[in-house]
Short mmCIF file of all heavy atoms in Angstrom, two decimals:
data_model
loop_
_atom_site.label_atom_id
_atom_site.label_comp_id
_atom_site.label_asym_id
_atom_site.label_seq_id
_atom_site.Cartn_x
_atom_site.Cartn_y
_atom_site.Cartn_z
N MET Y 1 -96.93 -38.07 45.44
CA MET Y 1 -96.29 -38.62 44.24
C MET Y 1 -96.68 -37.81 43.00
O MET Y 1 -95.83 -37.44 42.22
CB MET Y 1 -96.70 -40.09 44.11
CG MET Y 1 -96.16 -40.76 42.89
SD MET Y 1 -94.42 -41.08 43.09
CE MET Y 1 -94.08 -41.88 41.59
N ASN Y 2 -97.97 -37.55 42.86
CA ASN Y 2 -98.45 -36.82 41.69
C ASN Y 2 -97.93 -35.38 41.71
O ASN Y 2 -97.61 -34.82 40.66
CB ASN Y 2 -99.97 -36.86 41.65
CG ASN Y 2 -100.52 -36.42 40.31
OD1 ASN Y 2 -99.78 -36.34 39.34
ND2 ASN Y 2 -101.80 -36.12 40.28
N GLN Y 3 -97.86 -34.78 42.90
CA GLN Y 3 -97.37 -33.41 43.04
C GLN Y 3 -95.89 -33.32 42.64
O GLN Y 3 -95.46 -32.35 42.03
CB GLN Y 3 -97.56 -32.93 44.48
CG GLN Y 3 -97.23 -31.47 44.69
CD GLN Y 3 -98.22 -30.55 44.01
OE1 GLN Y 3 -99.32 -30.92 43.65
NE2 GLN Y 3 -97.79 -29.32 43.81
N ASP Y 4 -95.11 -34.35 42.99
CA ASP Y 4 -93.68 -34.36 42.63
C ASP Y 4 -93.49 -34.41 41.12
O ASP Y 4 -92.61 -33.74 40.57
CB ASP Y 4 -92.98 -35.56 43.28
CG ASP Y 4 -92.92 -35.44 44.79
OD1 ASP Y 4 -92.98 -34.29 45.29
OD2 ASP Y 4 -92.82 -36.48 45.46
N ILE Y 5 -94.32 -35.21 40.45
CA ILE Y 5 -94.22 -35.33 38.99
C ILE Y 5 -94.60 -34.00 38.34
O ILE Y 5 -93.94 -33.54 37.40
CB ILE Y 5 -95.10 -36.49 38.47
CG1 ILE Y 5 -94.52 -37.82 38.95
CG2 ILE Y 5 -95.19 -36.45 36.95
CD1 ILE Y 5 -95.39 -39.00 38.64
N ASN Y 6 -95.64 -33.34 38.85
CA ASN Y 6 -96.05 -32.05 38.29
C ASN Y 6 -94.97 -31.00 38.48
O ASN Y 6 -94.71 -30.20 37.58
CB ASN Y 6 -97.35 -31.58 38.93
CG ASN Y 6 -98.55 -32.36 38.42
OD1 ASN Y 6 -98.51 -32.92 37.33
ND2 ASN Y 6 -99.61 -32.39 39.21
N ASN Y 7 -94.34 -30.97 39.65
CA ASN Y 7 -93.26 -30.01 39.88
C ASN Y 7 -92.08 -30.28 38.95
O ASN Y 7 -91.48 -29.35 38.42
CB ASN Y 7 -92.78 -30.07 41.34
CG ASN Y 7 -93.79 -29.44 42.28
OD1 ASN Y 7 -94.61 -28.63 41.88
ND2 ASN Y 7 -93.72 -29.83 43.55
N PHE Y 8 -91.74 -31.55 38.77
CA PHE Y 8 -90.64 -31.91 37.89
C PHE Y 8 -90.94 -31.50 36.46
O PHE Y 8 -90.08 -30.95 35.76
CB PHE Y 8 -90.37 -33.42 37.98
CG PHE Y 8 -89.28 -33.89 37.07
CD1 PHE Y 8 -87.96 -33.59 37.34
CD2 PHE Y 8 -89.58 -34.64 35.93
CE1 PHE Y 8 -86.95 -34.02 36.50
CE2 PHE Y 8 -88.58 -35.07 35.09
CZ PHE Y 8 -87.26 -34.77 35.37
N LEU Y 9 -92.16 -31.75 36.00
CA LEU Y 9 -92.52 -31.40 34.62
C LEU Y 9 -92.54 -29.89 34.41
O LEU Y 9 -92.14 -29.41 33.34
CB LEU Y 9 -93.88 -32.01 34.26
CG LEU Y 9 -93.89 -33.54 34.12
CD1 LEU Y 9 -95.31 -34.01 33.83
CD2 LEU Y 9 -92.94 -33.99 33.04
N THR Y 10 -92.98 -29.13 35.39
CA THR Y 10 -92.96 -27.67 35.23
C THR Y 10 -91.53 -27.13 35.20
O THR Y 10 -91.24 -26.19 34.46
CB THR Y 10 -93.76 -26.97 36.34
OG1 THR Y 10 -93.26 -27.38 37.61
CG2 THR Y 10 -95.23 -27.29 36.24
N ILE Y 11 -90.63 -27.72 35.98
CA ILE Y 11 -89.23 -27.31 35.94
C ILE Y 11 -88.63 -27.63 34.58
O ILE Y 11 -87.92 -26.80 34.00
CB ILE Y 11 -88.44 -27.97 37.09
CG1 ILE Y 11 -88.87 -27.37 38.43
CG2 ILE Y 11 -86.95 -27.80 36.89
CD1 ILE Y 11 -88.31 -28.09 39.63
N ILE Y 12 -88.91 -28.81 34.05
CA ILE Y 12 -88.41 -29.18 32.71
C ILE Y 12 -88.97 -28.23 31.65
O ILE Y 12 -88.25 -27.79 30.75
CB ILE Y 12 -88.77 -30.65 32.39
CG1 ILE Y 12 -88.05 -31.60 33.34
CG2 ILE Y 12 -88.47 -30.99 30.95
CD1 ILE Y 12 -86.54 -31.57 33.21
N GLU Y 13 -90.24 -27.89 31.79
CA GLU Y 13 -90.87 -26.97 30.83
C GLU Y 13 -90.20 -25.60 30.87
O GLU Y 13 -89.94 -24.98 29.82
CB GLU Y 13 -92.35 -26.84 31.18
CG GLU Y 13 -93.15 -25.99 30.25
CD GLU Y 13 -94.61 -25.97 30.64
OE1 GLU Y 13 -95.19 -27.03 30.87
OE2 GLU Y 13 -95.15 -24.85 30.74
N LYS Y 14 -89.89 -25.10 32.05
CA LYS Y 14 -89.22 -23.81 32.18
C LYS Y 14 -87.82 -23.85 31.58
O LYS Y 14 -87.39 -22.91 30.91
CB LYS Y 14 -89.15 -23.40 33.64
CG LYS Y 14 -90.50 -23.04 34.22
CD LYS Y 14 -90.40 -22.71 35.70
CE LYS Y 14 -91.76 -22.41 36.26
NZ LYS Y 14 -91.71 -22.06 37.68
N ILE Y 15 -87.10 -24.92 31.83
CA ILE Y 15 -85.74 -25.05 31.28
C ILE Y 15 -85.78 -25.08 29.76
O ILE Y 15 -84.97 -24.42 29.10
CB ILE Y 15 -85.05 -26.30 31.86
CG1 ILE Y 15 -84.74 -26.08 33.35
CG2 ILE Y 15 -83.78 -26.62 31.10
CD1 ILE Y 15 -84.25 -27.31 34.06
N ILE Y 16 -86.71 -25.83 29.20
CA ILE Y 16 -86.84 -25.90 27.73
C ILE Y 16 -87.20 -24.52 27.17
O ILE Y 16 -86.67 -24.11 26.13
CB ILE Y 16 -87.86 -26.98 27.33
CG1 ILE Y 16 -87.30 -28.36 27.62
CG2 ILE Y 16 -88.25 -26.84 25.86
CD1 ILE Y 16 -88.29 -29.49 27.42
N GLY Y 17 -88.08 -23.79 27.83
CA GLY Y 17 -88.44 -22.44 27.38
C GLY Y 17 -87.25 -21.49 27.40
O GLY Y 17 -87.05 -20.71 26.47
N MET Y 18 -86.45 -21.56 28.46
CA MET Y 18 -85.27 -20.69 28.55
C MET Y 18 -84.23 -21.04 27.49
O MET Y 18 -83.67 -20.15 26.84
CB MET Y 18 -84.65 -20.80 29.94
CG MET Y 18 -85.43 -20.11 31.00
SD MET Y 18 -84.59 -20.24 32.58
CE MET Y 18 -85.76 -19.43 33.63
N ILE Y 19 -83.98 -22.33 27.31
CA ILE Y 19 -83.01 -22.76 26.30
C ILE Y 19 -83.49 -22.35 24.91
O ILE Y 19 -82.71 -21.87 24.09
CB ILE Y 19 -82.75 -24.28 26.40
CG1 ILE Y 19 -81.99 -24.60 27.68
CG2 ILE Y 19 -81.99 -24.78 25.19
CD1 ILE Y 19 -81.86 -26.09 27.97
N GLY Y 20 -84.77 -22.52 24.63
CA GLY Y 20 -85.32 -22.14 23.33
C GLY Y 20 -85.19 -20.65 23.06
O GLY Y 20 -84.85 -20.24 21.95
N SER Y 21 -85.46 -19.84 24.07
CA SER Y 21 -85.36 -18.39 23.86
C SER Y 21 -83.90 -17.96 23.69
O SER Y 21 -83.61 -17.04 22.92
CB SER Y 21 -86.02 -17.64 25.01
OG SER Y 21 -85.33 -17.88 26.22
N ILE Y 22 -82.98 -18.61 24.37
CA ILE Y 22 -81.56 -18.28 24.20
C ILE Y 22 -81.07 -18.69 22.82
O ILE Y 22 -80.33 -17.95 22.16
CB ILE Y 22 -80.72 -18.93 25.32
CG1 ILE Y 22 -81.04 -18.23 26.65
CG2 ILE Y 22 -79.24 -18.86 25.01
CD1 ILE Y 22 -80.47 -18.91 27.85
N ILE Y 23 -81.53 -19.84 22.34
CA ILE Y 23 -81.17 -20.27 20.98
C ILE Y 23 -81.74 -19.29 19.95
O ILE Y 23 -81.09 -18.95 18.97
CB ILE Y 23 -81.65 -21.71 20.71
CG1 ILE Y 23 -80.80 -22.69 21.52
CG2 ILE Y 23 -81.60 -22.06 19.23
CD1 ILE Y 23 -81.29 -24.12 21.49
N TYR Y 24 -82.95 -18.80 20.20
CA TYR Y 24 -83.55 -17.81 19.30
C TYR Y 24 -82.76 -16.51 19.31
O TYR Y 24 -82.61 -15.86 18.27
CB TYR Y 24 -85.01 -17.56 19.69
CG TYR Y 24 -85.75 -16.71 18.70
CD1 TYR Y 24 -86.08 -17.21 17.46
CD2 TYR Y 24 -86.11 -15.42 19.01
CE1 TYR Y 24 -86.76 -16.43 16.54
CE2 TYR Y 24 -86.78 -14.63 18.10
CZ TYR Y 24 -87.10 -15.15 16.87
OH TYR Y 24 -87.76 -14.37 15.97
N LEU Y 25 -82.23 -16.12 20.47
CA LEU Y 25 -81.40 -14.92 20.56
C LEU Y 25 -80.12 -15.10 19.75
O LEU Y 25 -79.70 -14.17 19.03
CB LEU Y 25 -81.06 -14.62 22.02
CG LEU Y 25 -80.14 -13.43 22.28
CD1 LEU Y 25 -80.80 -12.14 21.82
CD2 LEU Y 25 -79.79 -13.36 23.75
N ILE Y 26 -79.51 -16.26 19.82
CA ILE Y 26 -78.31 -16.54 19.02
C ILE Y 26 -78.65 -16.49 17.54
O ILE Y 26 -77.90 -15.92 16.73
CB ILE Y 26 -77.71 -17.89 19.43
CG1 ILE Y 26 -77.17 -17.81 20.86
CG2 ILE Y 26 -76.61 -18.32 18.47
CD1 ILE Y 26 -76.81 -19.15 21.45
N PHE Y 27 -79.77 -17.07 17.16
CA PHE Y 27 -80.23 -17.04 15.77
C PHE Y 27 -80.42 -15.61 15.29
O PHE Y 27 -80.04 -15.25 14.17
CB PHE Y 27 -81.54 -17.84 15.66
CG PHE Y 27 -82.26 -17.67 14.36
CD1 PHE Y 27 -81.78 -18.25 13.20
CD2 PHE Y 27 -83.43 -16.93 14.29
CE1 PHE Y 27 -82.45 -18.10 12.00
CE2 PHE Y 27 -84.10 -16.77 13.11
CZ PHE Y 27 -83.61 -17.36 11.96
N SER Y 28 -80.98 -14.77 16.14
CA SER Y 28 -81.20 -13.37 15.78
C SER Y 28 -79.87 -12.64 15.59
O SER Y 28 -79.74 -11.81 14.69
CB SER Y 28 -82.02 -12.70 16.87
OG SER Y 28 -82.24 -11.35 16.58
N GLY Y 29 -78.89 -12.95 16.42
CA GLY Y 29 -77.57 -12.36 16.25
C GLY Y 29 -76.92 -12.78 14.94
O GLY Y 29 -76.25 -11.98 14.27
N VAL Y 30 -77.13 -14.04 14.56
CA VAL Y 30 -76.59 -14.53 13.28
C VAL Y 30 -77.25 -13.80 12.11
O VAL Y 30 -76.59 -13.45 11.13
CB VAL Y 30 -76.77 -16.05 13.17
CG1 VAL Y 30 -76.48 -16.55 11.77
CG2 VAL Y 30 -75.89 -16.76 14.18
N ILE Y 31 -78.53 -13.53 12.22
CA ILE Y 31 -79.23 -12.80 11.16
C ILE Y 31 -78.66 -11.40 11.00
O ILE Y 31 -78.43 -10.93 9.88
CB ILE Y 31 -80.75 -12.75 11.44
CG1 ILE Y 31 -81.37 -14.12 11.20
CG2 ILE Y 31 -81.43 -11.70 10.58
CD1 ILE Y 31 -82.83 -14.19 11.52
N VAL Y 32 -78.39 -10.72 12.12
CA VAL Y 32 -77.80 -9.38 12.06
C VAL Y 32 -76.44 -9.44 11.37
O VAL Y 32 -76.13 -8.62 10.50
CB VAL Y 32 -77.67 -8.77 13.47
CG1 VAL Y 32 -76.83 -7.51 13.45
CG2 VAL Y 32 -79.04 -8.47 14.04
N LYS Y 33 -75.64 -10.42 11.73
CA LYS Y 33 -74.31 -10.57 11.12
C LYS Y 33 -74.42 -10.82 9.62
O LYS Y 33 -73.70 -10.23 8.82
CB LYS Y 33 -73.57 -11.72 11.81
CG LYS Y 33 -72.22 -12.01 11.28
CD LYS Y 33 -71.23 -10.97 11.72
CE LYS Y 33 -69.83 -11.40 11.31
NZ LYS Y 33 -68.86 -10.38 11.55
N GLN Y 34 -75.34 -11.68 9.21
CA GLN Y 34 -75.51 -11.98 7.79
C GLN Y 34 -76.01 -10.77 7.00
O GLN Y 34 -75.56 -10.53 5.88
CB GLN Y 34 -76.47 -13.15 7.61
CG GLN Y 34 -75.87 -14.48 7.99
CD GLN Y 34 -76.84 -15.62 7.78
OE1 GLN Y 34 -78.05 -15.42 7.69
NE2 GLN Y 34 -76.32 -16.83 7.73
N VAL Y 35 -76.93 -10.02 7.58
CA VAL Y 35 -77.46 -8.85 6.87
C VAL Y 35 -76.39 -7.79 6.72
O VAL Y 35 -76.27 -7.16 5.66
CB VAL Y 35 -78.71 -8.30 7.61
CG1 VAL Y 35 -79.11 -6.94 7.06
CG2 VAL Y 35 -79.86 -9.27 7.48
N THR Y 36 -75.58 -7.58 7.74
CA THR Y 36 -74.51 -6.57 7.61
C THR Y 36 -73.45 -7.01 6.60
O THR Y 36 -72.94 -6.18 5.84
CB THR Y 36 -73.86 -6.27 8.97
OG1 THR Y 36 -73.41 -7.49 9.56
CG2 THR Y 36 -74.82 -5.58 9.90
N MET Y 37 -73.13 -8.29 6.59
CA MET Y 37 -72.17 -8.79 5.59
C MET Y 37 -72.73 -8.66 4.18
O MET Y 37 -72.02 -8.30 3.24
CB MET Y 37 -71.80 -10.25 5.88
CG MET Y 37 -71.01 -10.44 7.14
SD MET Y 37 -69.39 -9.73 7.07
CE MET Y 37 -68.59 -10.92 6.02
N MET Y 38 -74.02 -8.96 4.03
CA MET Y 38 -74.66 -8.84 2.73
C MET Y 38 -74.68 -7.39 2.26
O MET Y 38 -74.45 -7.10 1.09
CB MET Y 38 -76.08 -9.38 2.78
CG MET Y 38 -76.83 -9.30 1.47
SD MET Y 38 -78.61 -9.42 1.63
CE MET Y 38 -79.00 -7.93 2.49
N SER Y 39 -74.93 -6.48 3.19
CA SER Y 39 -75.00 -5.06 2.83
C SER Y 39 -73.65 -4.51 2.40
O SER Y 39 -73.60 -3.56 1.61
CB SER Y 39 -75.53 -4.26 4.02
OG SER Y 39 -76.85 -4.65 4.31
N LYS Y 40 -72.57 -5.08 2.91
CA LYS Y 40 -71.24 -4.65 2.48
C LYS Y 40 -70.94 -5.10 1.06
O LYS Y 40 -70.22 -4.43 0.33
CB LYS Y 40 -70.18 -5.20 3.42
CG LYS Y 40 -70.17 -4.55 4.78
CD LYS Y 40 -69.10 -5.17 5.67
CE LYS Y 40 -69.15 -4.56 7.06
NZ LYS Y 40 -68.17 -5.20 7.96
N ASN Y 41 -71.49 -6.24 0.66
CA ASN Y 41 -71.18 -6.80 -0.66
C ASN Y 41 -72.16 -6.39 -1.75
O ASN Y 41 -71.81 -6.37 -2.92
CB ASN Y 41 -71.14 -8.33 -0.57
CG ASN Y 41 -69.99 -8.81 0.27
OD1 ASN Y 41 -68.92 -8.21 0.28
ND2 ASN Y 41 -70.20 -9.90 0.98
N ILE Y 42 -73.38 -6.08 -1.36
CA ILE Y 42 -74.41 -5.73 -2.34
C ILE Y 42 -74.91 -4.32 -2.04
O ILE Y 42 -75.39 -4.05 -0.93
CB ILE Y 42 -75.59 -6.73 -2.29
CG1 ILE Y 42 -75.11 -8.13 -2.63
CG2 ILE Y 42 -76.68 -6.28 -3.25
CD1 ILE Y 42 -76.17 -9.20 -2.44
N ASN Y 43 -74.79 -3.44 -2.98
CA ASN Y 43 -75.27 -2.07 -2.81
C ASN Y 43 -76.70 -1.97 -3.32
O ASN Y 43 -76.98 -2.25 -4.48
CB ASN Y 43 -74.36 -1.09 -3.56
CG ASN Y 43 -72.98 -1.04 -2.95
OD1 ASN Y 43 -72.83 -1.23 -1.75
ND2 ASN Y 43 -71.98 -0.80 -3.78
N ASP Y 44 -77.59 -1.54 -2.44
CA ASP Y 44 -78.99 -1.40 -2.78
C ASP Y 44 -79.56 -0.26 -1.95
O ASP Y 44 -79.04 0.10 -0.90
CB ASP Y 44 -79.75 -2.71 -2.51
CG ASP Y 44 -81.13 -2.72 -3.11
OD1 ASP Y 44 -81.39 -1.94 -4.04
OD2 ASP Y 44 -81.97 -3.52 -2.65
N LYS Y 45 -80.66 0.31 -2.42
CA LYS Y 45 -81.24 1.42 -1.68
C LYS Y 45 -81.97 0.96 -0.41
O LYS Y 45 -82.26 1.76 0.45
CB LYS Y 45 -82.19 2.22 -2.58
CG LYS Y 45 -83.39 1.45 -3.07
CD LYS Y 45 -84.24 2.33 -3.97
CE LYS Y 45 -85.43 1.54 -4.48
NZ LYS Y 45 -86.29 2.36 -5.31
N TYR Y 46 -82.25 -0.33 -0.28
CA TYR Y 46 -82.96 -0.84 0.89
C TYR Y 46 -82.04 -1.44 1.95
O TYR Y 46 -82.52 -2.06 2.90
CB TYR Y 46 -83.99 -1.90 0.46
CG TYR Y 46 -85.05 -1.35 -0.45
CD1 TYR Y 46 -85.13 -1.75 -1.77
CD2 TYR Y 46 -85.96 -0.41 0.02
CE1 TYR Y 46 -86.10 -1.24 -2.61
CE2 TYR Y 46 -86.93 0.12 -0.81
CZ TYR Y 46 -87.00 -0.32 -2.12
OH TYR Y 46 -87.95 0.20 -2.94
N ASN Y 47 -80.73 -1.29 1.82
CA ASN Y 47 -79.80 -1.87 2.79
C ASN Y 47 -80.01 -1.31 4.19
O ASN Y 47 -79.98 -2.05 5.17
CB ASN Y 47 -78.35 -1.63 2.36
CG ASN Y 47 -77.93 -2.56 1.25
OD1 ASN Y 47 -78.61 -3.53 0.95
ND2 ASN Y 47 -76.80 -2.26 0.63
N GLY Y 48 -80.23 -0.01 4.29
CA GLY Y 48 -80.46 0.59 5.61
C GLY Y 48 -81.72 0.06 6.26
O GLY Y 48 -81.74 -0.19 7.47
N LEU Y 49 -82.76 -0.13 5.47
CA LEU Y 49 -84.00 -0.68 6.00
C LEU Y 49 -83.81 -2.12 6.48
O LEU Y 49 -84.29 -2.50 7.56
CB LEU Y 49 -85.10 -0.62 4.94
CG LEU Y 49 -86.46 -1.20 5.33
CD1 LEU Y 49 -87.06 -0.38 6.47
CD2 LEU Y 49 -87.37 -1.24 4.13
N LEU Y 50 -83.10 -2.91 5.70
CA LEU Y 50 -82.85 -4.31 6.09
C LEU Y 50 -82.02 -4.40 7.38
O LEU Y 50 -82.31 -5.22 8.25
CB LEU Y 50 -82.14 -5.06 4.97
CG LEU Y 50 -82.98 -5.38 3.75
CD1 LEU Y 50 -82.11 -5.99 2.66
CD2 LEU Y 50 -84.10 -6.32 4.11
N ILE Y 51 -81.03 -3.54 7.49
CA ILE Y 51 -80.22 -3.53 8.71
C ILE Y 51 -81.07 -3.11 9.90
O ILE Y 51 -80.98 -3.69 10.99
CB ILE Y 51 -78.99 -2.62 8.53
CG1 ILE Y 51 -78.03 -3.25 7.51
CG2 ILE Y 51 -78.27 -2.39 9.84
CD1 ILE Y 51 -76.89 -2.34 7.10
N ALA Y 52 -81.91 -2.10 9.72
CA ALA Y 52 -82.77 -1.64 10.80
C ALA Y 52 -83.74 -2.73 11.25
O ALA Y 52 -83.96 -2.94 12.45
CB ALA Y 52 -83.54 -0.39 10.38
N VAL Y 53 -84.31 -3.45 10.30
CA VAL Y 53 -85.24 -4.53 10.63
C VAL Y 53 -84.52 -5.66 11.35
O VAL Y 53 -85.04 -6.24 12.32
CB VAL Y 53 -85.96 -5.05 9.36
CG1 VAL Y 53 -86.72 -6.33 9.63
CG2 VAL Y 53 -86.90 -3.99 8.82
N SER Y 54 -83.29 -5.96 10.94
CA SER Y 54 -82.56 -7.04 11.60
C SER Y 54 -82.20 -6.64 13.03
O SER Y 54 -82.26 -7.48 13.94
CB SER Y 54 -81.31 -7.41 10.81
OG SER Y 54 -80.36 -6.38 10.85
N TYR Y 55 -81.84 -5.38 13.26
CA TYR Y 55 -81.56 -4.94 14.63
C TYR Y 55 -82.83 -4.90 15.47
O TYR Y 55 -82.81 -5.20 16.66
CB TYR Y 55 -80.86 -3.58 14.63
CG TYR Y 55 -79.37 -3.70 14.45
CD1 TYR Y 55 -78.76 -3.29 13.28
CD2 TYR Y 55 -78.58 -4.24 15.46
CE1 TYR Y 55 -77.40 -3.40 13.11
CE2 TYR Y 55 -77.21 -4.36 15.29
CZ TYR Y 55 -76.62 -3.94 14.12
OH TYR Y 55 -75.28 -4.07 13.95
N PHE Y 56 -83.95 -4.52 14.86
CA PHE Y 56 -85.23 -4.58 15.59
C PHE Y 56 -85.55 -6.01 15.99
O PHE Y 56 -86.03 -6.26 17.11
CB PHE Y 56 -86.36 -4.00 14.72
CG PHE Y 56 -87.70 -4.10 15.37
CD1 PHE Y 56 -88.04 -3.25 16.41
CD2 PHE Y 56 -88.63 -5.04 14.95
CE1 PHE Y 56 -89.29 -3.34 17.02
CE2 PHE Y 56 -89.87 -5.14 15.55
CZ PHE Y 56 -90.20 -4.29 16.60
N HIS Y 57 -85.26 -6.95 15.12
CA HIS Y 57 -85.47 -8.36 15.41
C HIS Y 57 -84.57 -8.80 16.57
O HIS Y 57 -85.01 -9.56 17.45
CB HIS Y 57 -85.17 -9.18 14.15
CG HIS Y 57 -85.41 -10.63 14.28
ND1 HIS Y 57 -84.39 -11.54 14.28
CD2 HIS Y 57 -86.54 -11.36 14.45
CE1 HIS Y 57 -84.88 -12.75 14.43
NE2 HIS Y 57 -86.18 -12.66 14.54
N LEU Y 58 -83.34 -8.33 16.60
CA LEU Y 58 -82.43 -8.65 17.69
C LEU Y 58 -82.93 -8.07 19.01
O LEU Y 58 -82.91 -8.76 20.04
CB LEU Y 58 -81.03 -8.11 17.38
CG LEU Y 58 -79.95 -8.36 18.44
CD1 LEU Y 58 -79.69 -9.84 18.60
CD2 LEU Y 58 -78.68 -7.63 18.08
N VAL Y 59 -83.41 -6.84 18.98
CA VAL Y 59 -83.95 -6.23 20.20
C VAL Y 59 -85.18 -6.99 20.69
O VAL Y 59 -85.35 -7.22 21.90
CB VAL Y 59 -84.26 -4.74 19.97
CG1 VAL Y 59 -85.05 -4.14 21.12
CG2 VAL Y 59 -82.99 -3.96 19.74
N ALA Y 60 -86.03 -7.41 19.77
CA ALA Y 60 -87.20 -8.20 20.15
C ALA Y 60 -86.80 -9.53 20.77
O ALA Y 60 -87.43 -9.98 21.73
CB ALA Y 60 -88.10 -8.43 18.93
N ALA Y 61 -85.75 -10.15 20.27
CA ALA Y 61 -85.27 -11.40 20.84
C ALA Y 61 -84.70 -11.18 22.24
O ALA Y 61 -84.88 -12.01 23.14
CB ALA Y 61 -84.22 -12.04 19.93
N ILE Y 62 -84.00 -10.06 22.45
CA ILE Y 62 -83.49 -9.74 23.78
C ILE Y 62 -84.63 -9.52 24.75
O ILE Y 62 -84.60 -10.01 25.89
CB ILE Y 62 -82.56 -8.51 23.71
CG1 ILE Y 62 -81.28 -8.86 22.95
CG2 ILE Y 62 -82.22 -7.99 25.10
CD1 ILE Y 62 -80.41 -7.67 22.61
N VAL Y 63 -85.66 -8.81 24.32
CA VAL Y 63 -86.84 -8.59 25.16
C VAL Y 63 -87.51 -9.93 25.48
O VAL Y 63 -87.95 -10.16 26.62
CB VAL Y 63 -87.82 -7.62 24.49
CG1 VAL Y 63 -89.15 -7.57 25.21
CG2 VAL Y 63 -87.20 -6.23 24.40
N LEU Y 64 -87.56 -10.82 24.52
CA LEU Y 64 -88.15 -12.14 24.75
C LEU Y 64 -87.37 -12.90 25.82
O LEU Y 64 -87.98 -13.49 26.72
CB LEU Y 64 -88.16 -12.95 23.45
CG LEU Y 64 -88.62 -14.41 23.59
CD1 LEU Y 64 -90.10 -14.46 23.87
CD2 LEU Y 64 -88.26 -15.19 22.36
N VAL Y 65 -86.05 -12.88 25.75
CA VAL Y 65 -85.24 -13.59 26.74
C VAL Y 65 -85.46 -12.97 28.13
O VAL Y 65 -85.60 -13.69 29.12
CB VAL Y 65 -83.75 -13.57 26.36
CG1 VAL Y 65 -82.87 -14.04 27.49
CG2 VAL Y 65 -83.52 -14.43 25.13
N LEU Y 66 -85.50 -11.65 28.20
CA LEU Y 66 -85.74 -11.00 29.49
C LEU Y 66 -87.11 -11.33 30.05
O LEU Y 66 -87.27 -11.55 31.26
CB LEU Y 66 -85.56 -9.49 29.35
CG LEU Y 66 -84.14 -9.00 29.06
CD1 LEU Y 66 -84.14 -7.48 28.86
CD2 LEU Y 66 -83.22 -9.39 30.19
N MET Y 67 -88.12 -11.39 29.18
CA MET Y 67 -89.45 -11.77 29.63
C MET Y 67 -89.50 -13.20 30.14
O MET Y 67 -90.15 -13.51 31.14
CB MET Y 67 -90.47 -11.55 28.51
CG MET Y 67 -90.81 -10.12 28.26
SD MET Y 67 -91.96 -9.86 26.89
CE MET Y 67 -93.30 -10.94 27.30
N VAL Y 68 -88.80 -14.09 29.44
CA VAL Y 68 -88.77 -15.49 29.86
C VAL Y 68 -88.11 -15.62 31.21
O VAL Y 68 -88.59 -16.35 32.09
CB VAL Y 68 -88.06 -16.36 28.79
CG1 VAL Y 68 -87.68 -17.71 29.35
CG2 VAL Y 68 -88.93 -16.53 27.58
N VAL Y 69 -87.02 -14.88 31.43
CA VAL Y 69 -86.34 -14.94 32.70
C VAL Y 69 -87.22 -14.39 33.82
O VAL Y 69 -87.28 -14.94 34.91
CB VAL Y 69 -84.99 -14.19 32.63
CG1 VAL Y 69 -84.38 -13.99 34.00
CG2 VAL Y 69 -84.03 -14.94 31.73
N MET Y 70 -87.96 -13.31 33.53
CA MET Y 70 -88.81 -12.71 34.54
C MET Y 70 -90.05 -13.55 34.84
O MET Y 70 -90.45 -13.69 36.00
CB MET Y 70 -89.24 -11.31 34.12
CG MET Y 70 -88.12 -10.32 34.06
SD MET Y 70 -88.68 -8.79 33.32
CE MET Y 70 -88.38 -7.67 34.65
N ILE Y 71 -90.66 -14.09 33.81
CA ILE Y 71 -91.91 -14.84 33.99
C ILE Y 71 -91.66 -16.24 34.50
O ILE Y 71 -92.32 -16.71 35.42
CB ILE Y 71 -92.72 -14.86 32.68
CG1 ILE Y 71 -93.20 -13.46 32.35
CG2 ILE Y 71 -93.88 -15.82 32.77
CD1 ILE Y 71 -93.85 -13.33 31.00
N LEU Y 72 -90.69 -16.92 33.90
CA LEU Y 72 -90.45 -18.28 34.33
C LEU Y 72 -89.51 -18.26 35.51
O LEU Y 72 -89.41 -19.04 36.33
CB LEU Y 72 -89.85 -19.11 33.19
CG LEU Y 72 -90.75 -19.29 31.96
CD1 LEU Y 72 -90.02 -20.12 30.92
CD2 LEU Y 72 -92.03 -19.97 32.33
#
């Protein structure tokens, strides 16, 4: 009985981790979209840096999702 509850809780924990990382990936994609839209409307010398950081953030989120899939 106790073993069944532990297995069920670990499965729920894995599902929540996967859903959370996928939501974070979507959030990261929205950030990239917002930064590129902002860069089109506002001219600044740091636009390239902001776009690069947002894409780095997106790549980090993709790596996070891949790690979650591999580990969990």
